[in-house]
Amino acid sequence: MTISQNHRHLGGTLTFLCFTSLHLLQSQGIQPWKENPSYWSFRGEPVLLVGGSDDDNLFQWPADQLIPQLDQLANAGGNVIRNTMSDRQDKGFEVYPFLRLADGRYDLNQWNPVYWDRFERMLRETAKRNIIVQIEIWDRFDYTDNRDRNHWQRHPYHPNNNINYTLKESGFAARYPDHPGANKQAFFYTSPKQRNNQVVLSYQEAFVDKLLGHSLNYDHVLYCIDNETKAEPAWGEYWARRIKERARKEGKTIYVTEMWDAWDLTSAEHRQTFDRPELYDFVDVSQNNHNSGQKHWDNFLHVKNYLSSKPRPMNTTKTYGATGNKFGHTDQDAIERFWRHLIAGAASARFHRPDSGIGLNPKAKACLSAVRLVERSLRFWDLKPVMNRIETIQGSQAYLAESSEQALLCFLPLGTESITINATGYEGSVTITWIRLEDGPIRMKMQVKASKSLSFRVPHTANWLAIVRSEN
């Protein structure tokens, strides 16, 4: 073999190895963890997804705002964002995906490169930081006139705003003043098993194909069809099947869910996702975050038990709660909901954007950092709720889970002063590691003696985690 032939042979080998490595990397992207499919794995390793962000469509943000936001998230220990493909003109810098013509109308057959460049940038920058992106393809609030928002009046899909179809041809109404929860918007009835509106559907399909043309190049993306929808099941089913088929043709596997509107997770709405594991690969139960206390905890565990025969990751991409918001929730509600879900077995938890959530404020970042601090001692996927171990609580509430490695994780929210637990299996010398959640996690340790029961009091008034581990 000559030197040149040897170089060609070596180059071909290296090319093959690089291709094989890339294919292996993509095949090990975000996916349910094979050893425990209630959680996610990424690049072959199990991973707990936690995050927060100050908006739900970060891809629209200018680079000088997006990059610092992602850096703050990563530095705090966060590794997931929510990204609706929303184009509502809320902050003034949002753009539509379609090209605007000189007369002010849009051509739905031409793309606005700014919108798609921003989307690509978000995907690229999150990939650099190993931040998982949960995309929501459709957001019902983009197509409503409810509460004088007039989003529909400005939108390119409105027949008055494009050159592609008329009101009559599209089947659209000129206005949709009802809350989108009424599900009167014809935009969500176009699929073949509904009204089979091929005029509008063709443009919707082109939009989704364009989206996938970007996102399928990455291995850190999850897909949710809608934001808190009340659409007919056929709508979500059509898009779930279509995007999976597109991915399959490109030799890739993607993971899809639908997010329903009902706050009660026992409702029939949610069973449309729970009962279809062949179509919906994970579940998003964000709407449980409108509930509080014991109801919030019980609702989540109901679903976990319901899915036990076919376990899937349970994501909560919107943790509501912010002092002064329209729902009457507080910052404290957000912190409690976040930790209850993690202790109960959530695979992903993210603080919702202001003013419905605390976004990425100092309290949110403190919680994210605390998660990673806990992971130095135990893994969340090894935990199982053991509320039956709690004997007494002085104060409001407490939540307890046990690790398979014989350790307990206890969440003691603000207002809880002490707890007594059944210490069977932990008799003798016990180490309690305290993690304070406010203003950056503070960790401290203490050793105590345990018998049949173990009582401990919080160091001072705050939100606390306590890790109890036997030293015997």
Side-chain angles (χ1 to χ4, degrees):
M1 182 180 292
T2 67
I3 293 176
S4 61
Q5 288 173 328
N6 186 57
H7 280 180
R8 285 198 298 271
H9 175 74
L10 180 60
T13 301
L14 290 173
T15 300
F16 172 77
L17 289 174
C18 288
F19 174 80
T20 302
S21 298
L22 178 61
H23 179 74
L24 180 62
L25 185 66
Q26 290 177 336
S27 68
Q28 293 184 334
I30 188 69
Q31 60 185 294
W33 184 25
K34 291 180 175 59
E35 293 185 26
N36 184 349
S38 293
Y39 287 87
W40 295 105
S41 67
F42 186 54
R43 307 280 169 82
E45 297 293 332
V47 61
L48 180 69
L49 304 184
V50 292
S53 57
D54 292 328
D55 214 339
D56 49 32
N57 58 342
L58 285 181
F59 85 101
Q60 289 272 14
W61 282 26
D64 61 354
Q65 296 182 40
L66 172 67
I67 303 305
Q69 176 92 163
L70 296 180
D71 285 341
Q72 288 182 54
L73 175 63
N75 291 338
N79 61 351
V80 68
I81 65 167
R82 174 190 185 216
N83 190 80
T84 65
M85 299 306 296
S86 177
D87 45 30
R88 297 196 297 275
Q89 310 292 295
D90 289 333
K91 293 184 171 62
F93 52 67
E94 297 88 350
V95 296
Y96 291 114
F98 305 105
L99 187 67
R100 192 174 191 181
L101 306 177
D103 66 0
R105 292 183 296 169
Y106 295 87
D107 183 356
L108 303 186
N109 288 312
Q110 297 189 67
W111 303 116
N112 176 3
V114 176
Y115 179 97
W116 297 106
D117 287 348
R118 290 180 177 183
F119 183 52
E120 179 67 28
R121 179 176 61 207
M122 181 276 298
L123 292 170
R124 183 176 64 248
E125 295 297 334
T126 49
K128 286 180 184 178
R129 296 161 177 80
N130 291 327
I131 295 173
I132 305 304
V133 179
Q134 182 171 315
I135 290 175
E136 287 163 34
I137 299 174
W138 309 114
D139 187 344
R140 61 186 186 171
F141 291 98
D142 287 2
Y143 315 104
T144 181
D145 298 318
N146 181 246
R147 297 178 183 169
D148 298 321
R149 289 170 175 164
N150 293 321
H151 298 311
W152 175 238
Q153 296 306 302
R154 296 191 293 267
H155 205 281
Y157 280 114
H158 193 298
N160 292 346
N161 300 330
N162 68 59
I163 64 171
N164 306 96
Y165 48 65
T166 64
L167 280 168
K168 183 178 181 180
E169 291 168 338
S170 67
F172 283 135
R175 291 188 61 81
Y176 288 100
D178 296 287
H179 188 281
N183 198 33
K184 294 183 179 180
Q185 168 57 278
F187 187 90
F188 298 101
Y189 286 88
T190 59
S191 75
K193 290 184 179 179
Q194 295 174 290
R195 298 176 186 174
N196 195 24
N197 182 344
Q198 291 297 318
V199 171
V200 177
L201 183 63
S202 63
Y203 295 109
Q204 293 171 326
E205 290 174 336
F207 171 82
V208 172
D209 286 344
K210 178 67 172 173
L211 183 160
L212 294 173
H214 290 268
S215 64
L216 288 179
N217 294 320
Y218 295 88
D219 69 349
H220 67 301
V221 180
L222 298 171
Y223 297 85
C224 182
I225 304 303
D226 291 278
N227 171 37
E228 54 186 47
T229 188
K230 280 191 174 294
E232 295 177 342
W235 166 263
E237 177 182 345
Y238 177 75
W239 292 111
R241 292 191 184 283
R242 195 173 195 281
I243 65 176
K244 283 189 167 188
E245 178 61 16
R246 165 70 185 274
R248 187 193 65 79
K249 288 180 179 178
E250 296 194 18
K252 298 172 183 176
T253 301
I254 61 174
Y255 301 93
V256 181
T257 194
E258 179 65 288
M259 185 198 301
W260 302 99
D261 192 35
W263 299 2
D264 180 5
L265 301 186
T266 67
S267 76
E269 267 185 22
H270 290 286
R271 290 200 296 274
Q272 295 169 119
T273 303
F274 302 163
D275 293 344
R276 305 201 64 184
E278 79 289 350
L279 183 64
Y280 296 118
D281 312 281
F282 66 104
V283 302
D284 192 293
V285 292
S286 292
Q287 293 302 87
N288 188 40
N289 288 309
H290 284 290
N291 299 308
S292 299
Q294 195 65 37
K295 184 175 183 179
H296 181 260
W297 174 263
D298 290 343
N299 251 357
F300 186 89
L301 289 181
H302 163 81
V303 179
K304 193 167 183 66
N305 181 64
Y306 191 90
L307 299 179
S308 60
S309 63
K310 184 70 175 179
R312 282 167 280 166
M314 294 173 63
N315 288 13
T316 60
T317 197
K318 296 188 296 184
T319 301
Y320 294 102
T323 301
N325 75 9
K326 63 183 178 181
F327 298 115
H329 305 160
T330 65
D331 292 4
Q332 180 64 24
D333 287 318
I335 293 170
E336 292 182 14
R337 289 164 179 157
F338 179 83
W339 285 104
R340 272 194 297 263
H341 273 154
L342 291 183
I343 290 174
S348 177
R350 167 193 163 271
F351 290 107
H352 196 27
R353 50 106 182 118
D355 60 353
S356 296
I358 61 176
L360 202 53
N361 77 4
K363 293 179 182 178
K365 287 189 278 191
C367 284
L368 302 182
S369 297
V371 168
R372 303 311 176 197
L373 197 55
V374 170
E375 288 184 327
R376 296 181 189 177
S377 300
L378 52 82
R379 300 295 184 178
F380 284 88
W381 45 80
D382 290 330
L383 294 175
K384 179 181 179 181
V386 286
M387 297 293 283
N388 59 325
R389 274 191 179 269
I390 298 177
E391 295 180 350
T392 62
I393 302 171
Q394 185 176 353
S396 57
Q397 54 192 310
Y399 300 90
L400 187 66
E402 186 168 22
S403 168
S404 58
E405 298 180 353
Q406 199 177 14
L408 297 164
L409 177 63
C410 185
F411 171 47
L412 300 164
L414 183 68
T416 299
E417 299 174 7
S418 65
I419 184 173
T420 300
I421 63 173
N422 179 331
T424 302
Y426 294 83
E427 297 92 340
S429 181
V430 169
T431 296
I432 302 176
T433 302
W434 290 100
I435 300 175
R436 195 188 75 185
L437 301 178
E438 278 83 358
D439 305 322
I442 295 175
R443 185 171 65 170
M444 59 187 78
K445 287 188 176 183
M446 58 185 294
Q447 282 196 323
V448 297
K449 293 289 184 180
S451 54
K452 292 183 179 180
S453 294
L454 172 63
S455 298
F456 47 94
R457 177 176 295 273
V458 300
H460 55 78
T461 301
N463 288 289
W464 289 95
L465 297 174
I467 300 173
V468 179
R469 190 179 294 275
S470 175
E471 297 298 327
N472 298 320

